[in-house]
Amino acid sequence: MEVSWGSGQESRRLLLSFLLLAAWEAGNSQLHYSVPEEAKHGTFVGRIAQDLGLELAELVPRLFRVASKDRGDLLEVNLQNGILFVNSRIDREALCGRSVECSIHLEVIVDRPLQVFHVEVEVRDINDHPPMFSATQKNLFIAESRALGTQFPLEGASDADIGINAMLTYRLSPNDYFSLEKPSDDERIKGLGLVLRKSLDREETPEIFLVLTATDGGKPELTGTVQIHITVLDANDNSPVFDKPLYAVKLPENVPDGTVVIKVNASDLDEGLNGDVMYSFSTDISPDVKRKFHIDPVTGQITVKGYIDFEECKSYEILIEGIDKGQLPLSGHCRVIVEIEDINDNVPALEFKSLSLPILENAPVGTVIALISVSDRDMGVNGQVTCSLSPHVPFKLVSTFKNYHSLVLASALDRETTAGYKVVVTARDGGSPSLWATASVSVEVADVNDNAPAFAQPEYTVFVKENNPPGAHIFTVSAMDADAQENALVSYSLVERRVGERLLSSFVSVHAESGKVFALQPLDHEELELLQFQVSARDAGVPALGSNVTLQVFVLDENDNAPVLLPYRAVGASGAMSELVPRSVGSGHIVAKVRAVDADSGYNAWLSYELQSGAGGVRSPFRVGLYTGEISITRALDEGDAPRQRLLVLVKDHGEPALTATATVLVSLVESNQAPKASSRVLAGTAASEASVVDVNVYLIIAICAVSSLLVLTLVLYTALRCSALPTEDTCGPGKPMLVCSSAVGSWSCSQQRRQRVCSGEGLPKTDLMAFSPSVPPALGSGDSGVQQEIFENPRQPNPDWRYSASLRAGMHSSVHLEEAGILRAGPGGPDQQWPTVSSATPEPEAGEVSPPVGAGVNSNSWTFKYGPGNPKQSGPGELPDKFIIPGSPAIISIRQEPASNQIDKSDFITFGKKEETKKKKKKKKGNKTQEKKEKGNSTTDNSDQ
């Protein structure tokens, strides 16, 4: 008799499940191979490199490698031909047990760039295991009184193979008493049963020997046998009968020892000892069931005595025997199926498979940084794992294959902002309560050269005194680079250019490492006042980045140039100046003018003139203007004066120490009848040197006429303004503009006057001093409005020699600061002339400010004077302050205002001197008042200047 195990509908279901599982696995793998178990070493599996689209030549450079979790080195790849082959013995039963699916999962990893491929190699089962029974002999005790059709359970054989190789067919040796059949169609029941077909007679057959043979479905077929020894017993007629032949129960995993699983019950119709039933596990039960469960022999209660783990075994089949206590004991049998329920008791497992660190800060978005494997031994929802990252990191997780995730770059990196990240990956399952696990990795951001060196400011101003020693350190530049290591190493260099006829590198150099700037040669203010150049800072990255900074080196002047006399029109053989002067000329007549220049600037170029005393202490009839260099006559000449006068003029600058030059002037006194010819020569020479475009004779005639008329007009206007413009408490504002002209011997100047009343909280408003700006040519008359309009529309520059020399203008220009302020405005109908003024706060509170109009150039002849804010003395209308301080310099401007009848030489109108010499100058002026009163009758020309 044969019984086929797993045939019919059960076989079709098994085959269909196998095909669906294989198709699902193939759809979720990138590559799928199959190999039979027990294949020999070197057995060909597949051309893995070709199937993955990889060239054989790039396998070694890209570090082609194969990894398999918990599979050892069963399979290997030949890097020469890209063939996957069997490396060691593969036992499917050892790998997967009785699982229908058995495959080896390979991870193929290549670098540059990082790629991961998933390969599954299915291990095909071969029929290498025969059916095995739990024992070689089975002993049965059967009473002769047992009824026909009674079943006696037998434990079936087991086959370690799967599929068709595990489909068993049973065959019982021929006999007259028993047949073989499967007791139930339940798939969970694997046992067999002997069915009594013929009544037993102990006296006729006390023992029966049978052979049970199990044959699998493999090719070739393998078989297993068990000897069945049946002993026929006499006596006890009724065997115990269980309430149910099959018990099913569900048991959660991890229950403690002593937990009750189920209680079985069997009844026996006999009385006495023959009706008492004892419970026990069948002798054919597996040892694992005996280790984990216990049955009470009296009550039939089954309890747990070992660790129950769903991941270890999902169900248990327990065979129970109930045996009575009769002389000839009878037994009953039942089965208990215990299904283990899964609970969430396994924490997800995280593992970093491969890391590509550090990552460059300019890596593109999507770059793979790490491969992460996630697994959970639980089933169902408890085994479904979700992964997340720590917040505020520029990375994300991308699911690649099954439980594999890739850590990829999600946004741009900046090492200068964040040099590294600690990335924490959290894996959480879907159980209740859920379990989680974390794994962290430190991602270092590698620097790239993406930041150029930066200076603190785009431009630096450096002041260096001239005549510096060669190689002097004048400045240090410094640039910072936000990068790291060699990308932050900054070197400095000059941006080469030409300065005049020479290269910049011949003037300065810069140290490549420290950024110190050195002057390679002495600098000369007179040759080069401003040296502007650029210094470049470059880092050591590849490619190098750089930036430039501008340095403006101002060369400060020192008094290293003595005054130089300008050539005169009539110079003798000895180099002295020669002049012819008629004896009839009056006091104040200008004989000659000493001209000198100084190559320096500021105070160092501010020149003063002194007349050296003659031998014997004889008082000279000549004097020299302190700052004009004009030699004039101080008194009327008489017969006692020597016909030839030798004058020594000392020209001195204001530097420390002062440098000087000496000019010699030879003056010849001639009679009046000799003067016209000489005067013509003199006037012709003067016109040629001072105004090349104006005829000197016309110039002098116009000047004399204009001075007389303008003097009267000025006095009348001044008196009218003083009388009509009396200040009131609530009246403040500008006065009516008027035109004022003044003249001097040998020059002419017209200026526009404007009064400005200043309101303060104390006392009456004060009237500021008149501000003159040269804008009217010499031909202007006092009453010619048409000419006046023409002059305003076509202003001309004044003669530069009227008030002060070029050296004085250079000193003023370097001693004050510019500020924009419009001080001049033409009268009605005339154009506006708003020029910047030169002014600053005076260092002395009692002094005032002096402001020349710079808009007209350095040749401007007019100044604006203002009292300082701390001076309690305020000049009344029409009054002039007695002294002014040039802002930023030690010079003092002293102004004397006397009645028109007094005789004052033009050179005394404005005097300049150092602060420490102020008292000496005042004493000297007091001493000269007596002499000046004697000469006032000859000073009408100078009075017109005031």
Side-chain angles (χ1 to χ4, degrees):
M1 178 178 291
E2 293 184 358
V3 175
S4 177
W5 170 256
S7 60
Q9 184 178 1
E10 181 180 348
S11 300
R12 289 193 298 272
R13 289 179 180 177
L14 183 63
L15 181 60
L16 181 59
S17 300
F18 178 80
L19 293 176
L20 290 176
L21 183 61
W24 181 84
E25 284 295 329
N28 283 271
S29 299
Q30 293 188 10
L31 286 180
H32 186 88
Y33 299 107
S34 64
V35 62
E37 66 175 331
E38 305 295 341
K40 295 181 180 179
H41 174 75
T43 301
F44 172 84
V45 178
R47 300 184 182 276
I48 188 171
Q50 179 180 348
D51 295 338
L52 293 176
L54 301 175
E55 297 294 335
L56 296 179
E58 66 180 358
L59 297 184
V60 174
R62 293 188 64 182
L63 302 179
F64 183 96
R65 55 194 182 276
V66 176
S68 177
K69 183 179 179 181
D70 301 330
R71 301 306 186 193
D73 55 348
L74 300 178
L75 300 172
E76 194 61 57
V77 176
N78 188 336
L79 297 181
Q80 303 300 322
N81 53 23
I83 293 177
L84 180 67
F85 63 93
V86 176
N87 187 46
S88 60
R89 176 178 174 269
I90 301 175
D91 187 356
R92 185 188 183 284
E93 287 71 28
L95 288 176
C96 306
R98 295 189 56 81
S99 176
V100 175
E101 175 193 7
C102 185
S103 60
I104 301 174
H105 179 72
L106 302 178
E107 297 171 8
V108 179
I109 304 174
V110 293
D111 293 337
R112 303 171 188 169
L114 177 65
Q115 290 182 286
V116 180
F117 304 94
H118 301 276
V119 179
E120 285 206 356
V121 180
E122 177 189 1
V123 180
R124 301 194 305 271
D125 181 51
I126 64 173
N127 193 23
D128 57 341
H129 292 86
M132 298 290 294
F133 290 92
S134 60
T136 58
Q137 181 174 331
K138 175 70 174 175
N139 296 317
L140 296 177
F141 299 90
I142 302 175
E144 62 178 346
S145 60
R146 296 300 292 268
L148 297 177
T150 303
Q151 288 189 358
F152 301 94
L154 296 176
E155 185 70 16
S158 62
D159 194 326
D161 296 323
I162 64 168
I164 193 68
N165 296 327
M167 297 180 64
L168 302 181
T169 301
Y170 296 93
R171 183 175 67 254
L172 189 63
S173 60
N175 66 92
D176 297 329
Y177 297 96
F178 296 94
S179 64
L180 186 66
E181 65 182 35
K182 193 172 184 297
S184 173
D185 292 333
D186 194 331
E187 296 179 357
R188 297 173 294 179
I189 298 177
K190 302 176 182 178
L192 301 174
L194 287 176
V195 180
L196 183 61
R197 299 298 182 185
K198 182 179 178 180
S199 298
L200 298 176
D201 186 2
R202 179 183 175 277
E203 287 72 20
E204 180 179 354
T205 310
E207 291 181 337
I208 302 173
F209 294 92
L210 302 175
V211 177
L212 179 61
T213 302
T215 305
D216 60 24
K219 298 294 183 180
E221 295 178 348
L222 299 179
T223 61
T225 60
V226 61
Q227 301 289 332
I228 301 176
H229 179 207
I230 301 174
T231 301
V232 180
L233 301 178
D234 196 18
N236 202 0
D237 296 330
N238 297 288
S239 61
V241 178
F242 285 90
D243 297 340
K244 294 189 295 184
L246 176 64
Y247 293 88
V249 63
K250 293 183 178 181
L251 180 69
E253 63 175 329
N254 302 332
V255 294
D257 291 350
T259 300
V260 176
V261 179
I262 196 173
K263 182 178 181 179
V264 295
N265 180 56
S267 58
D268 193 320
L269 297 178
D270 296 328
E271 294 182 354
L273 294 177
N274 292 333
D276 292 338
V277 180
M278 300 292 295
Y279 303 96
S280 65
F281 291 134
S282 173
T283 56
D284 296 332
I285 199 170
S286 66
D288 189 38
V289 173
K290 291 181 179 180
R291 288 194 304 268
K292 295 182 181 298
F293 299 96
H294 169 73
I295 187 170
D296 189 294
V298 178
T299 64
Q301 181 173 281
I302 301 175
T303 58
V304 175
K305 72 171 185 177
Y307 178 66
I308 305 299
D309 187 7
F310 174 82
E311 287 72 35
E312 180 182 341
C313 183
K314 296 176 177 56
S315 65
Y316 295 92
E317 181 181 352
I318 305 175
L319 185 62
I320 307 296
E321 285 186 341
I323 303 175
D324 58 24
K325 297 180 180 180
Q327 186 66 32
L328 298 175
L330 300 177
S331 64
H333 301 83
C334 73
R335 297 176 186 273
V336 177
I337 302 298
V338 181
E339 295 184 355
I340 307 301
E341 291 182 333
D342 180 44
I343 64 173
N344 193 24
D345 60 340
N346 289 282
V347 177
L350 285 168
E351 181 182 1
F352 285 93
K353 289 293 185 180
S354 181
L355 294 174
S356 295
L357 296 176
I359 181 171
L360 295 176
E361 63 176 320
N362 62 346
V365 175
T367 301
V368 178
I369 300 171
L371 182 66
I372 305 172
S373 173
V374 184
S375 60
D376 194 317
R377 296 181 61 194
D378 294 322
M379 297 293 292
V381 176
N382 297 331
Q384 295 178 1
V385 181
T386 56
C387 294
S388 61
L389 286 179
S390 54
H392 310 300
V393 293
F395 308 103
K396 64 179 180 179
L397 288 175
V398 177
S399 178
T400 55
F401 178 78
K402 287 186 177 178
N403 291 330
Y404 286 85
H405 296 77
S406 295
L407 181 65
V408 300
L409 185 62
S411 61
L413 299 174
D414 185 7
R415 190 205 64 81
E416 288 71 37
T417 302
T418 307
Y421 298 88
K422 183 178 182 181
V423 181
V424 179
V425 182
T426 303
R428 185 182 300 271
D429 60 28
S432 180
S434 62
L435 302 178
W436 70 89
T438 60
S440 63
V441 61
S442 295
V443 179
E444 179 184 358
V445 181
D447 182 54
V448 298
N449 194 23
D450 57 347
N451 289 279
F455 291 93
Q457 57 191 70
E459 183 177 296
Y460 293 94
T461 300
V462 184
F463 296 93
V464 180
K465 291 184 177 181
E466 65 175 332
N467 303 324
N468 58 281
H473 172 227
I474 62 175
F475 195 67
T476 300
V477 295
S478 178
M480 301 298 295
D481 196 311
D483 294 321
Q485 298 178 354
E486 67 275 2
N487 295 331
L489 296 177
V490 180
S491 61
Y492 304 92
S493 63
L494 287 177
V495 178
E496 189 64 271
R497 69 178 184 89
R498 300 193 71 85
V499 180
E501 299 297 329
R502 299 163 58 185
L503 292 176
L504 174 65
S505 56
S506 64
F507 289 92
V508 293
S509 68
V510 60
H511 193 272
E513 296 179 0
S514 65
K516 292 183 177 181
V517 181
F518 301 94
L520 299 181
Q521 62 182 16
L523 300 176
D524 188 359
H525 173 80
E526 289 72 38
E527 177 185 344
L528 185 67
E529 293 187 8
L530 172 61
L531 178 61
Q532 182 170 320
F533 59 92
Q534 288 187 327
V535 176
S536 175
R538 298 184 69 82
D539 56 31
V542 178
L545 300 178
S547 62
N548 296 341
V549 66
T550 300
L551 264 67
Q552 289 188 343
V553 179
F554 288 90
V555 182
L556 303 180
D557 181 55
E558 289 191 340
N559 194 25
D560 58 345
N561 291 280
V564 177
L565 297 173
L566 296 179
Y568 196 66
R569 66 179 184 277
V571 180
S574 62
M577 300 168 52
S578 297
E579 289 289 344
L580 296 178
V581 179
R583 289 182 179 271
S584 61
V585 296
S587 175
H589 176 76
I590 296 176
V591 175
K593 184 171 184 176
V594 178
R595 299 175 182 274
V597 295
D598 195 316
D600 295 322
S601 63
Y603 278 97
N604 298 328
W606 186 14
L607 303 181
S608 62
Y609 302 85
E610 296 180 9
L611 189 62
Q612 299 294 314
S613 301
V618 179
R619 183 174 179 272
S620 173
F622 301 97
R623 63 172 294 177
V624 63
L626 181 59
Y627 297 108
T628 63
E630 295 176 346
I631 301 174
S632 60
I633 297 176
T634 60
R635 60 179 173 80
L637 301 176
D638 54 27
E639 296 298 332
D641 293 323
R644 293 183 61 82
Q645 299 279 343
R646 182 183 181 87
L647 305 179
L648 295 179
V649 179
L650 180 65
V651 184
K652 181 173 61 175
D653 60 26
H654 287 71
E656 292 292 344
L659 301 179
T660 62
T662 304
T664 303
V665 182
L666 299 177
V667 180
S668 299
L669 302 180
V670 298
E671 297 301 329
S672 300
N673 56 358
Q674 300 177 1
K677 186 175 180 179
S679 297
S680 299
R681 292 195 301 269
V682 171
L683 293 175
T686 303
S689 62
E690 295 183 355
S692 59
V693 296
V694 180
D695 182 77
V696 64
N697 295 326
V698 178
Y699 184 84
L700 290 176
I701 294 172
I702 296 176
I704 294 172
C705 296
V707 166
S708 301
S709 60
L710 288 178
L711 176 60
V712 177
L713 178 61
T714 301
L715 294 176
V716 172
L717 292 176
Y718 180 74
T719 304
L721 289 174
R722 289 291 302 272
C723 296
S724 62
L726 293 178
T728 59
E729 293 183 359
D730 56 349
T731 303
C732 296
K736 180 179 180 181
M738 65 184 67
L739 188 66
V740 180
C741 298
S742 60
S743 68
V745 176
S747 64
W748 182 256
S749 174
C750 292
S751 300
Q752 183 182 0
Q753 173 191 339
R754 182 179 181 181
R755 291 180 181 272
Q756 179 70 37
R757 297 193 179 277
V758 181
C759 293
S760 63
E762 299 177 0
L764 298 177
K766 300 298 182 180
T767 303
D768 203 352
L769 186 64
M770 290 179 289
F772 295 97
S773 60
S775 60
V776 181
L780 177 63
S782 60
D784 192 349
S785 62
V787 177
Q788 177 179 345
Q789 178 68 23
E790 179 182 355
I791 290 170
F792 285 147
E793 294 175 355
N794 300 284
R796 295 180 58 188
Q797 297 296 330
N799 193 313
D801 301 323
W802 182 65
R803 290 285 181 173
Y804 41 82
S805 63
S807 62
L808 175 59
R809 291 191 301 274
M812 293 178 180
H813 183 68
S814 62
S815 303
V816 295
H817 304 281
L818 294 179
E819 67 179 19
E820 294 185 1
I823 64 168
L824 301 178
R825 187 176 302 273
D832 291 346
Q833 298 186 22
Q834 297 184 0
W835 294 339
T837 64
V838 181
S839 64
S840 69
T842 174
E844 297 186 6
E846 72 277 2
E849 295 179 6
V850 56
S851 302
V854 185
V858 297
N859 297 331
S860 172
N861 297 328
S862 300
W863 295 77
T864 296
F865 301 98
K866 297 180 181 180
Y867 282 103
N871 187 5
K873 175 187 176 182
Q874 299 293 336
S875 299
E879 296 181 3
L880 298 179
D882 57 353
K883 68 174 181 177
F884 295 93
I885 307 300
I886 296 180
S889 73
I892 298 177
I893 302 176
S894 299
I895 300 177
R896 293 167 48 222
Q897 181 180 9
E898 297 192 10
S901 61
N902 290 355
Q903 176 182 340
I904 300 176
D905 185 73
K906 187 186 71 172
S907 61
D908 289 336
F909 180 71
I910 300 178
T911 60
F912 294 82
K914 297 184 179 180
K915 294 179 183 179
E916 59 267 19
E917 298 176 355
T918 304
K919 295 182 179 179
K920 296 181 181 179
K921 295 296 182 179
K922 288 184 177 180
K923 292 180 180 179
K924 184 177 179 181
K925 289 181 181 180
K926 289 180 180 179
N928 292 337
K929 283 185 178 180
T930 306
Q931 180 65 26
E932 290 174 357
K933 289 180 180 179
K934 294 179 181 181
E935 301 171 355
K936 70 177 183 176
N938 300 323
S939 61
T940 56
T941 303
D942 292 332
N943 289 339
S944 64
D945 292 341
Q946 302 180 29

